[in-house]
Amino acid sequence: MQSTMVINCRNRTNAKNKGMECIFHSLNRHYIRMKKNERKENTNILFLVLDQLLKIMRSCDNLFNNLKPRLDFLGSYFDRIRVGQPTEYDINVILKFPINCGKIKLDATDCQNDYTAIVMPSDFRRLSLTPATASQGFTKTHSWCDKHYRLSVTKFRSWMQSTIDKAMNTLPQTDGYRVLKVKNKCFRIYSKTSGPANTITILKTDGSLIDIDLVPTFSFQLP
């Protein structure tokens, strides 16, 4: 009799667990998991807009063009751990300076909030003075370092924002949005600064938004 009761209890428990599992899968399917069609559509829009915007930025700023920018896709969506709808993306804009990165130093002296300063080598300082690199736009980097040759992240980000602004200002404007035309498709976009990122917002035809955080990133390897 006792063994029968145990079996019955287990059966009821298994049935309850299966019921909860069905409810979870239903919630995940209808409210949490990204819809395949929307994921594909938003990702296509993302690549179309960024590819064209990057081309415009390169044409607007000689320095940006000569830093050979490339995009690095990161964040919860590209790490395949995102739940909810694919409407927010984090993208690094990787920039590489023509210097000997092995001579870069890190210095935390007199830095606030536990930050570490990047001390640029003499190669970097010469970029704005040497005619060959100065003609490529590197004169803009002259003011990026203080008297101790520590790179100003604020000035670096400010330059990146100005490059985006110049690119955006080349686009026609309608109802407060800039209009970007790519492959016979028109996308309404606008930009704003959000912390270390420059956020590009795309307004889709159905009224929904896609936010893209572009983070300027100075790429180097320490020895």
Side-chain angles (χ1 to χ4, degrees), residues 76-107:
S76 58
Y77 173 75
F78 293 102
D79 289 338
R80 299 181 182 275
I81 58 174
R82 180 176 177 80
V83 295
Q85 299 308 311
T87 58
E88 297 178 359
Y89 300 87
D90 299 311
I91 314 292
N92 275 344
V93 182
I94 307 294
L95 305 169
K96 191 171 180 63
F97 289 87
I99 59 175
N100 183 353
C101 294
K103 294 183 179 180
I104 292 176
K105 297 179 181 179
L106 300 182
D107 183 11

Side-chain angles (χ1 to χ4, degrees), residues 138-157:
F138 285 93
T139 52
K140 296 177 182 179
T141 65
H142 181 73
S143 62
W144 287 9
C145 293
D146 63 13
K147 63 181 181 180
H148 301 294
Y149 305 109
R150 293 179 299 191
L151 180 68
S152 170
V153 176
T154 300
K155 291 181 179 179
F156 177 53
R157 291 173 180 166

Side-chain angles (χ1 to χ4, degrees), residues 98-212:
I99 59 175
N100 183 353
C101 294
K103 294 183 179 180
I104 292 176
K105 297 179 181 179
L106 300 182
D107 183 11
T109 306
D110 299 326
C111 291
Q112 297 180 349
N113 303 318
D114 296 325
Y115 289 137
T116 299
I118 302 173
V119 182
M120 303 303 287
S122 57
D123 302 30
F124 183 83
R125 305 164 209 167
R126 285 196 292 265
L127 290 176
S128 63
L129 303 174
T130 305
T133 49
S135 64
Q136 295 177 351
F138 285 93
T139 52
K140 296 177 182 179
T141 65
H142 181 73
S143 62
W144 287 9
C145 293
D146 63 13
K147 63 181 181 180
H148 301 294
Y149 305 109
R150 293 179 299 191
L151 180 68
S152 170
V153 176
T154 300
K155 291 181 179 179
F156 177 53
R157 291 173 180 166
S158 178
W159 162 77
M160 179 66 177
Q161 180 62 54
S162 69
T163 304
I164 292 176
D165 290 342
K166 283 189 288 187
M168 296 287 286
N169 289 337
T170 65
L171 304 175
Q173 191 169 10
T174 302
D175 298 328
Y177 288 87
R178 296 290 177 175
V179 180
L180 180 67
K181 188 174 182 179
V182 190
K183 295 183 178 179
N184 296 321
K185 295 181 180 180
C186 291
F187 301 99
R188 289 188 288 175
I189 64 176
Y190 67 89
S191 68
K192 63 180 180 180
T193 303
S194 179
N198 308 103
T199 302
I200 306 295
T201 298
I202 305 170
L203 177 64
K204 294 173 59 179
T205 54
D206 63 2
S208 61
L209 301 175
I210 299 175
D211 286 326
I212 307 169

